[in-house]
Amino acid sequence: MTVGALVFVAFRVATALPVLRWPLAGGLLAIGGDLADLLLRDLLGIGGLDYQLLDKLLDQVYLALFLVVALRWDGVERRVSIALYVFRLVGSIVFLATDERVVLLLFPNVFEPWFLLVALLHHRREPVAWTPGRLAAALAGVTALKLVQEWALHGARLFDGISSLEFLDGVRRWLTGGG
């Protein structure tokens, strides 16, 4: 493994660890690290890296840490977290075995936004009373959000064929009206 690849792995792990102490802020940082790793890969010029494989493996690091935190929760929050974690883990394994991106649409990572929602709700003074209706609405909402993201990335492949640096340059040009 090259030095650049080691930096890449260390970055992803380092951005995941704070979730153990600060679930909401650490969860946002871990997801930010997941989103920023393409930029880091491009900045470091890491070639010859099987990005999809490494990304899915490193996703399991932060998702497992999310699960460690969720296991501290009680009741429906804990049970739903476990079920959603296992669901995505199965999807990741099937994806790695088949290399078919449609699998990621069939097994969306709903655990991630569910975790953030519950971590956010834990900042309320009063705990949430999870009625069946509230639970269904919360799961429908986080599932819809995640499906849009999964479709953009893996269904429509909106960002295939463009590096993160090219994307950021396009955003810069659009924001500034420059050429």
Side-chain angles (χ1 to χ4, degrees):
M1 190 174 266
T2 67
V3 171
L6 288 173
V7 168
F8 182 85
V9 169
F11 171 78
R12 285 290 303 272
V13 172
T15 59
L17 289 173
V19 76
L20 295 171
R21 174 70 175 90
W22 303 284
L24 180 58
L28 292 169
L29 181 63
I31 292 166
D34 182 28
L35 294 173
D37 68 358
L38 281 172
L39 178 61
L40 181 63
R41 180 197 68 182
D42 293 344
L43 287 172
L44 292 174
I46 302 171
L49 184 68
D50 183 347
Y51 173 77
Q52 285 295 338
L53 173 64
L54 189 56
D55 179 60
K56 292 301 165 246
L57 293 173
L58 290 170
D59 286 353
Q60 291 309 312
V61 171
Y62 83 81
L63 292 174
L65 293 174
F66 282 19
L67 182 63
V68 167
V69 172
L71 290 174
R72 299 178 199 153
W73 299 339
D74 295 318
V76 70
E77 294 172 348
R78 179 184 174 136
R79 290 189 305 274
V80 168
S81 295
I82 293 168
L84 292 175
Y85 174 81
V86 170
F87 178 74
R88 181 55 174 204
L89 179 61
V90 168
S92 293
I93 291 168
V94 172
F95 169 73
L96 291 173
T98 64
D99 201 29
E100 292 292 333
R101 289 170 81 173
V102 70
V103 170
L104 299 173
L105 288 167
L106 298 173
F107 291 87
N109 186 3
V110 179
F111 175 55
E112 183 181 277
W114 166 258
F115 177 88
L116 291 177
L117 174 64
V118 173
L120 175 67
L121 292 174
H122 282 188
H123 284 276
R124 293 171 35 120
R125 288 188 181 148
E126 297 295 320
V128 173
W130 286 106
T131 64
R134 284 184 181 154
L135 180 60
L139 287 172
V142 296
T143 299
L145 286 172
K146 200 58 185 183
L147 281 173
V148 168
Q149 181 193 17
E150 298 284 9
W151 173 83
L153 293 174
H154 305 295
R157 298 182 180 198
L158 295 179
F159 302 102
D160 284 11
I162 184 170
S163 76
S164 60
L165 297 174
E166 291 167 331
F167 173 77
L168 290 174
D169 186 53
V171 170
R172 178 197 58 80
R173 284 187 317 235
W174 180 77
L175 288 173
T176 62

